Amino acid sequence: MIDPNARTAHTALVVPYKSPTFSEPPAVVSFDGSGEFKPGQDTSVMVRGEDGGAGAVSYADLQEAVRQKGGTATGQEVARALSRKGGEDCWMTFGELPPGMTHPVVDYVFRLHGDQLQVSFQEVKTAAVIAPENGNIATVDLFGTGQSSPETGSALMLHAHTSDGKTFQSMVSLEALKGAVQQAGGEIAPGKASDALRELAPPIENISLVEITESPQHISDYDGVQRTFRLDERGNLVIDYDQPR
């Protein structure tokens, strides 16, 4: 069991960004509750498609989509309502990672309180690395369900490259990754992955682990986020996220 303190819940105010530039004010998140958009602190609300493209969301459209769901809607429910294609392969996200937050951010829920719109989300600081029942692929249990699924987490992929441009990519088995962490003394800290994971890949110079995900509400990778792989007190493999200030 991951310590509940490894997840931090946040609630923020969603407001229209009023500017002569926009005929329909886009929805933005006011983290300090002031109701005013502050560049460098606040962020926009986006709907992202399967192809990776993202677009800003009209505040009026977002508010109406939540109202149509009875005043409470998950990020994916809102995304489906707002998506031009109306498909399932879309999700809500923020335009950029909120200041001071770590990666990843999950579980978007939008709520109407009168005419006021709020968004709740969880910041995941530590997640278990597990494998599916019918396989041994290392996956990250982002939502804390205890189940290995690309829809509720992310899979770990070994990525290696040489100075002359040759690359190697492979999924990682849980047992092999756990063994590498054990060999490294119980922890692979940021910046140490290339040496610690060398035995898992062909003799290639630069080695790293990347996350791939189909999670409908998962904020994707951001530059500067660091991952530490370690064995907890029960000997289970976990991943700690950090974004140095």
Side-chain angles (χ1 to χ4, degrees):
M1 291 286 292
I2 293 294
D3 186 335
N5 293 327
R7 291 173 174 267
T8 304
H10 303 271
T11 299
L13 188 65
V14 181
V15 298
Y17 178 52
K18 298 178 181 179
S19 168
T21 307
F22 303 104
S23 57
E24 293 188 12
V28 294
V29 184
S30 174
F31 289 106
D32 65 1
S34 67
E36 297 181 2
F37 180 76
K38 298 178 180 179
Q41 173 179 305
D42 300 326
T43 187
S44 55
V45 179
M46 312 284 285
V47 61
R48 187 176 297 276
E50 184 181 32
D51 59 0
V57 176
S58 157
Y59 178 81
D61 289 345
L62 176 59
Q63 188 181 49
E64 182 58 25
V66 177
R67 183 175 287 112
Q68 289 293 325
K69 289 294 182 179
T72 300
T74 66
Q76 192 173 28
E77 288 175 334
V78 172
R80 289 173 181 172
L82 297 177
S83 173
R84 293 178 180 178
K85 296 181 180 180
E88 296 185 2
D89 297 322
C90 55
W91 59 95
M92 303 302 295
T93 185
F94 294 146
E96 56 190 51
L97 203 64
M101 298 292 173
T102 55
H103 166 87
V105 173
V106 296
D107 289 356
Y108 294 85
V109 178
F110 293 86
R111 292 183 176 87
L112 274 173
H113 294 275
D115 289 332
Q116 189 180 80
L117 184 60
Q118 295 180 343
V119 60
S120 298
F121 55 95
Q122 288 187 350
E123 174 189 10
V124 180
K125 299 185 178 184
T126 297
V129 182
I130 60 177
E133 293 182 1
N134 59 348
N136 193 30
I137 299 299
T139 58
V140 185
D141 185 15
L142 292 174
F143 284 72
T145 63
Q147 298 179 346
S148 175
S149 167
E151 296 179 353
T152 58
S154 58
L156 291 170
M157 175 178 283
L158 195 71
H159 181 86
H161 65 276
T162 65
S163 56
D164 61 2
K166 294 180 180 179
T167 60
F168 169 84
Q169 290 183 327
S170 174
M171 305 306 291
V172 182
S173 81
L174 177 60
E175 291 305 316
L177 180 56
K178 188 174 180 179
V181 176
Q182 289 173 329
Q183 288 292 323
E187 180 178 296
I188 299 178
K192 302 295 184 181
S194 189
D195 292 332
L197 301 174
R198 195 167 298 281
E199 293 186 4
L200 303 183
I204 298 180
E205 300 163 8
N206 300 304
I207 304 171
S208 60
L209 281 172
V210 298
E211 288 184 63
I212 56 174
T213 181
E214 298 176 12
S215 176
Q217 300 167 328
H218 170 62
I219 267 195
S220 57
D221 269 329
Y222 283 82
D223 293 337
V225 171
Q226 296 182 344
R227 295 167 177 79
T228 297
F229 294 88
R230 64 178 173 85
L231 299 177
D232 66 12
E233 62 278 2
R234 299 179 182 86
N236 297 317
L237 185 60
V238 299
I239 180 171
D240 297 324
Y241 296 94
D242 186 32
Q243 187 181 39
R245 304 298 190 269

